[in-house]
Amino acid sequence: MEFLNELNDAQREAVLHVNGPNMIIAGAGSGKTRVLTYKIAYMISQGIDPFNILSLTFTNKAAREMKERVSSKIGSGNARNLWMGTFHSVFAKILRIEHSKIGYPANFTIYDSDDSKSLIKTILKEFSLDPKIYKPNLVYSRISSAKNNLISAEAYEKNTTIVGDDARSNKPLIYKVYQSYQNRCFAAGAMDFDDLLYKMNILLRDDAQALVKYQSKFKYILVDEFQDTNFSQLTILKRLAAKFENICVVGDDAQSIYAFRGANIENILNFKKMYTDTAVYKLEQNYRSTQYIVNAANSIIKHNSEQLKKEVWTSNVEGEKIKVFRTNSDNEEAAAIANELFSLEMRNHSGYDSYAILYRTNAQSRALEEALRRSNIPYRIYGGLSFYHRKEIKDLLAYYRLALNQKDEEAFKRAVNYPARGIGKTTIDKILLTAASNNMSLWEVVTNSNLRNIGIANATMNKLLGFIELIHSFKAIAENLTSFEAGEKIAASSGLLKELYSDKSVEGLNRYENIQELISGLKDFTENQKEQGLDNKLADFMNDVALLTDQDNESDDDIVKVTLMTIHASKGLEFPYVFVAGLEENLFPSQLSINSRSDLEEERRLFYVAITRAMNRAYLSFALTRFKWGNLNHCEPSRFIEEIDARYLDYPEMELFKSKPSIPKKTIPLKKPTAAFDPPTRLKKVSDSQKVSIHTDSDNSKLFVGAEVEHLRFGKGKITKLEGVSPNKKATVVFNNIGEKQLLLKFAKLKLL
């Protein structure tokens, strides 16, 4: 067990605690993955059977990396026997084993969000519901939220509060859509991602034998990123751990940023209340970032009241202060970031993959992309359209899905007339109507019904019979050949390869090459399965593909590129140089979050995550104007900049950071707003010159302790303390409405009363 010597004292203590509930609070960059890995390796070295260890992560990529690290410590044989993977992949495996107990086929299909929304659109059309009111994304979100709170379709209808909320939002029939959606998924032998958790809960709740079986099997449970768990996941964990209570959770409440997905920070905050004898270990040494970055992040997160107290520190170099830049417009901001990034690369030659530009919303990427293109800087959008969501790939995967599960409604609709075989929309609508009316799958309609009775002509009926025979042949191929052999044969026999090959356009060539890449992926999968002695059928490949997460979908190429991504997508990643753009009120923090303390604290945690992605240097930027919905909006700096201790910030001369292209022609001059421009109410009292300027030393020199002042956002107050020197001079002000605040005078725009 020499590997234990590679840990610091806090890490080692956490690793050595095996029995009973324990919680590891892991600050950013503190080596939590190492601790989890070494803990599993230590447990196996102490004679614990790897078959009895359940380790849950949030991405397949994290699970693979952990398994590889465990293998390097204790051998691949033991690591192979671990139950390690994402919540969804592990529970999908269990549900396939126990499928008969929940009434599903073993080869049930897993619908992705596109499949689910497509089905919802079909149901809305059948119910004659206006998709502009019943927006598919919103309906999907409501159903997802219900499942994650373990509310069935029947319980949803009976819940007067939920139904009342729907009625007040002019969507009183969501319950009916939910019921139909669940029935259709069941008829199609399909589960969506939320079902994998929901049905696992149903299995453990309703089948005592299954509950005892998996409680006895999983004697030791380890959970990564515990702060991101939702109610459904927590309920499963509590049920599985009830017998032995050997449960270890690892996470950081300061990085809980997925409330919009149902994640509940209370899970980690209240863990000690759930298990009163919990041992708590804190990993507070940051190995990732410089001292300035770590200290700045600490000064941000201390403003949150809901947190588990810890003080992250580092022995890394002091580094450089975080630079804060102001520009006149969002386009100037983007160009300025591109200029600074280019200058850094020319000096450091670290490669463009050392840089990340983070933003609060996807819409911000447009200006950034244009600026990078103008500077000939290669970039990639992280979290964009993944390989497996391209149309041609989903078309071929639909044939694979049908070969495995003929009841798959969404796959049937996608494949039945592509490539075109003369089965038109009218025919498909008739089949859909018959299926919905008789609670049947589409496959059952076309194979068991007299198609003439539903108005399908003989010629079309013959084409349908040809399609049915084709899928039957694919079923035999999938059952008898390896994943690669089956995938290759189905691609050729479906007609897709011929269809795409005949398109000689650039787009057609790209689509054909993507299909070839998928076949290559099947070959790689076959070889990997063979090496590991694992099952190698098309069903195994499709199960792997269905459970890919956002991070797993990222493709690699040989070109070194700058990474553009939302802050949410950046969690778990790190870069030597990080730019955080758009630090403006109502953008970051979001306008939707500023009226709720819990929402605002989540936004602050998001900012904390952004800062802690940086290893060597971090940059913050904001614009004084930004276009939104075609209108020019005046902006003010984010409160989060003010919350960073001024000792860790640097404000370089703005002229050095300005872009030469400046504001594009369409930008409205700041000092002469057009009649169409209507600034926010709280800015209307302020003169144009105040809107675009930051206080100079001469402005600040008039301020004194005891002075009555007014702030645009915080209202009236009195200065109780002045400290520091320009450009980082700071005032402590007690405001009449909100109490004491510390403000950087460079940004505060205080008006002397």
Side-chain angles (χ1 to χ4, degrees):
M1 292 187 294
E2 293 182 1
F3 58 81
L4 293 179
N5 297 327
E6 301 170 21
L7 304 171
N8 65 34
D9 291 343
Q11 291 172 335
R12 190 179 302 108
E13 286 182 26
V15 165
L16 294 176
H17 188 122
V18 173
N19 294 307
N22 57 105
M23 177 167 61
I24 302 171
I25 306 301
S30 62
K32 71 174 178 64
T33 303
R34 166 176 282 205
V35 168
L36 263 178
T37 303
Y38 283 40
K39 192 179 185 78
I40 293 169
Y42 174 73
M43 290 164 65
I44 295 173
S45 73
Q46 295 302 294
I48 294 174
D49 191 335
F51 280 107
N52 295 140
I53 299 174
L54 171 63
S55 178
L56 297 168
T57 66
F58 272 82
T59 68
N60 293 305
K61 181 180 178 183
R64 283 195 300 269
E65 289 176 356
M66 284 179 60
K67 191 168 284 191
E68 288 168 4
R69 292 193 196 184
V70 171
S71 296
S72 69
K73 300 300 176 188
I74 47 95
S76 60
N78 282 318
R80 190 180 299 159
N81 297 330
L82 289 165
W83 280 70
M84 180 182 285
T86 65
F87 280 86
H88 295 92
S89 65
V90 169
F91 299 151
K93 182 177 179 180
I94 292 173
L95 291 172
R96 291 192 191 282
I97 293 170
E98 309 293 344
H99 66 95
S100 61
K101 294 181 178 179
I102 54 172
Y104 272 79
N107 59 350
F108 61 79
T109 300
I110 300 173
Y111 278 177
D112 63 16
S113 59
D114 289 343
D115 296 320
S116 295
K117 290 170 188 175
S118 173
L119 178 54
I120 287 169
K121 288 176 184 176
T122 300
I123 294 169
L124 293 175
K125 182 179 178 182
E126 291 170 356
F127 287 168
S128 300
L129 296 175
D130 186 349
K132 293 179 181 178
I133 297 175
Y134 288 85
K135 295 178 180 178
N137 282 352
L138 185 144
V139 175
Y140 173 70
S141 177
R142 292 288 284 174
I143 293 172
S144 174
S145 178
K147 289 183 184 179
N148 284 324
N149 285 286
L150 303 183
I151 300 171
S152 67
E154 294 74 19
Y156 190 106
E157 181 185 5
K158 295 175 183 176
N159 190 308
T160 55
T161 301
I162 296 176
V163 174
D165 288 342
D166 289 343
R168 281 186 289 275
S169 65
N170 199 28
K171 290 175 272 292
L173 296 180
I174 287 181
Y175 79 90
K176 191 174 180 182
V177 179
Y178 183 10
Q179 290 173 344
S180 180
Y181 174 80
Q182 283 301 92
N183 292 337
R184 295 282 276 275
C185 284
F186 185 77
M191 295 188 198
D192 61 23
F193 259 49
D194 296 315
D195 278 326
L196 297 176
L197 303 178
Y198 180 78
K199 299 295 184 183
M200 185 68 189
N201 268 297
I202 298 300
L203 175 68
L204 298 179
R205 184 196 69 188
D206 295 349
D207 194 299
Q209 188 178 7
L211 177 62
V212 170
K213 174 182 176 180
Y214 290 103
Q215 284 178 338
S216 301
K217 182 176 185 62
F218 300 133
K219 295 178 181 177
Y220 297 88
I221 301 172
L222 301 96
V223 187
D224 192 12
E225 305 286 10
F226 186 65
Q227 77 280 348
D228 293 335
T229 54
N230 59 29
F231 176 72
S232 183
Q233 290 162 326
L234 179 67
T235 305
I236 294 170
L237 291 171
K238 288 168 70 176
R239 283 184 169 131
L240 289 176
K243 184 174 183 178
F244 296 103
E245 293 195 350
N246 295 324
I247 180 169
C248 169
V249 299
V250 184
D252 182 6
D253 57 294
Q255 297 185 65
S256 178
I257 60 173
Y258 292 121
F260 67 97
R261 292 183 184 172
N264 187 358
I265 192 174
E266 299 297 326
N267 290 355
I268 192 167
L269 295 178
N270 294 330
F271 188 77
K272 283 190 71 175
K273 294 179 181 178
M274 287 182 259
Y275 300 95
T276 54
D277 56 339
T278 297
V280 179
Y281 301 93
K282 295 182 180 180
L283 308 183
E284 297 173 305
Q285 182 175 0
N286 180 298
Y287 290 94
R288 175 188 299 156
S289 307
T290 64
Q291 291 179 24
Y292 271 121
I293 292 170
V294 169
N295 291 338
N298 285 340
S299 72
I300 293 162
I301 205 63
K302 75 178 183 182
H303 291 275
N304 273 11
S305 58
E306 284 195 349
Q307 60 175 298
L308 299 168
K309 294 294 182 184
K310 61 183 176 299
E311 189 65 29
V312 180
W313 61 277
T314 185
S315 60
N316 291 345
V317 298
E318 184 178 59
E320 298 187 44
K321 293 183 179 182
I322 294 175
K323 291 192 175 182
V324 183
F325 296 113
R326 176 199 71 178
T327 57
N328 285 325
S329 70
D330 50 349
N331 289 297
E332 269 198 11
E333 178 192 41
I337 289 173
N339 289 348
E340 180 70 7
L341 193 155
F342 181 79
S343 298
L344 276 171
E345 179 56 21
M346 291 304 99
R347 292 196 301 271
N348 300 329
H349 302 288
S350 54
Y352 280 124
D353 56 349
S354 299
Y355 304 87
I357 304 174
L358 310 181
Y359 36 80
R360 180 64 182 83
T361 65
N362 279 307
Q364 292 170 255
S365 74
R366 180 203 56 79
L368 293 163
E369 289 185 68
E370 289 178 3
L372 293 172
R373 282 199 297 268
R374 281 196 296 268
S375 298
N376 292 318
I377 296 174
Y379 67 90
R380 65 166 184 160
I381 301 289
Y382 193 102
L385 185 66
S386 76
F387 178 79
Y388 288 102
H389 281 78
R390 291 181 170 94
K391 179 186 180 301
E392 61 275 11
I393 299 301
K394 288 183 75 73
D395 288 337
L396 181 51
L397 292 181
Y399 279 97
Y400 293 171
R401 284 164 51 174
L402 271 181
L404 301 170
N405 174 17
Q406 291 77 52
K407 292 184 177 181
D408 186 334
E409 178 173 328
E410 293 306 306
F412 182 96
K413 289 191 294 186
R414 194 170 196 111
V416 69
N417 198 42
Y418 186 76
R421 49 177 60 90
I423 303 170
K425 183 177 180 300
T426 302
T427 299
I428 295 170
D429 285 345
K430 289 175 181 177
I431 297 170
L432 280 167
L433 180 61
T434 304
S437 302
N438 296 279
N439 198 24
M440 300 168 67
S441 70
L442 305 187
W443 185 259
E444 288 171 327
V445 171
V446 297
T447 55
N448 298 332
S449 302
N450 186 336
L451 297 179
R452 290 190 188 88
N453 292 341
I454 61 174
I456 294 178
N458 287 341
T460 305
M461 197 163 59
N462 290 332
K463 291 166 184 173
L464 277 169
L465 291 174
F467 177 71
I468 292 167
E469 290 175 10
L470 184 69
I471 300 304
H472 277 308
S473 69
F474 290 170
K475 181 176 183 290
I477 288 170
E479 290 172 349
N480 295 300
L481 301 180
T482 67
S483 59
F484 168 66
E485 292 167 339
E488 191 177 40
K489 279 186 176 295
I490 292 173
S493 302
S494 66
L496 276 177
L497 283 179
K498 182 180 179 182
E499 176 83 6
L500 294 173
Y501 185 75
S502 63
D503 183 352
K504 300 302 182 184
S505 67
V506 174
E507 294 79 8
L509 180 61
N510 286 336
R511 288 192 286 268
Y512 182 77
E513 288 174 346
N514 285 336
I515 292 292
Q516 293 293 343
E517 181 62 28
L518 177 62
I519 303 299
S520 298
L522 277 159
K523 183 69 171 176
D524 290 340
F525 179 82
T526 293
E527 296 301 323
N528 290 335
Q529 295 293 98
K530 190 183 300 181
E531 286 176 12
Q532 298 180 55
L534 300 174
D535 292 337
N536 179 29
K537 296 295 184 184
L538 189 60
D540 302 302
F541 174 78
M542 289 302 294
N543 192 46
D544 207 47
V545 168
L547 294 164
L548 289 175
T549 62
D550 293 343
Q551 290 191 21
D552 301 310
N553 285 333
E554 292 306 315
S555 59
D556 298 320
D557 55 38
D558 297 329
I559 302 174
V560 176
K561 300 176 181 178
V562 173
T563 298
L564 272 66
M565 66 202 317
T566 64
I567 302 167
H568 280 101
S570 74
K571 189 167 170 294
L573 305 176
E574 59 183 34
F575 301 88
Y577 305 95
V578 171
F579 294 82
V580 187
L583 276 159
E584 298 137 30
E585 284 294 302
N586 297 325
L587 177 58
F588 196 14
S590 157
Q591 187 172 10
L592 299 175
S593 70
I594 57 178
N595 295 319
S596 160
R597 182 174 63 82
S598 61
D599 290 345
L600 184 58
E601 292 202 352
E602 172 135 340
E603 288 285 293
R604 189 176 288 112
R605 292 193 294 269
L606 189 60
F607 184 44
Y608 176 85
V609 166
I611 295 293
T612 55
R613 298 312 92 200
M615 300 164 69
N616 301 336
R617 295 183 71 175
Y619 298 80
L620 310 178
S621 62
F622 65 92
L624 295 173
T625 63
R626 185 175 296 274
F627 271 100
K628 187 174 183 180
W629 304 112
N631 295 317
L632 184 69
N633 293 316
H634 286 275
C635 311
E636 61 175 297
S638 168
R639 69 190 73 193
F640 295 152
I641 298 177
E642 296 174 357
E643 291 175 354
I644 301 177
D645 192 312
R647 291 174 295 171
Y648 311 129
L649 298 178
D650 178 30
Y651 307 92
E653 287 297 322
M654 299 302 167
E655 295 304 318
L656 297 178
F657 195 69
K658 268 193 177 180
S659 63
K660 297 216 173 143
S662 190
I663 306 175
K665 291 180 181 178
K666 69 176 181 179
T667 303
I668 304 169
L670 296 182
K671 294 189 179 181
K672 294 181 181 179
T674 66
F677 171 61
D678 185 22
T681 303
R682 66 180 179 185
L683 295 182
K684 288 181 179 179
K685 299 177 183 177
V686 186
S687 69
D688 290 324
S689 61
Q690 284 176 305
K691 288 176 188 174
V692 298
S693 66
I694 291 177
H695 278 279
T696 63
D697 249 2
S698 59
D699 296 322
N700 295 332
S701 64
K702 298 176 183 178
L703 301 175
F704 56 91
V705 174
E708 298 283 344
V709 294
E710 185 174 13
H711 186 273
L712 288 176
R713 186 167 76 250
F714 305 135
K716 294 179 180 180
K718 180 183 287 188
I719 296 177
T720 58
K721 187 177 181 182
L722 289 169
E723 57 185 320
V725 296
S726 179
N728 298 329
K729 196 170 183 180
K730 188 164 61 174
T732 300
V733 184
V734 176
F735 290 99
N736 299 342
N737 296 325
I738 65 168
E740 186 176 279
K741 293 280 290 184
Q742 280 191 335
L743 306 173
L744 288 168
L745 294 180
K746 179 177 282 289
F747 294 139
K749 306 182 202 174
L750 292 176
K751 179 182 177 182
L752 189 62
L753 298 177

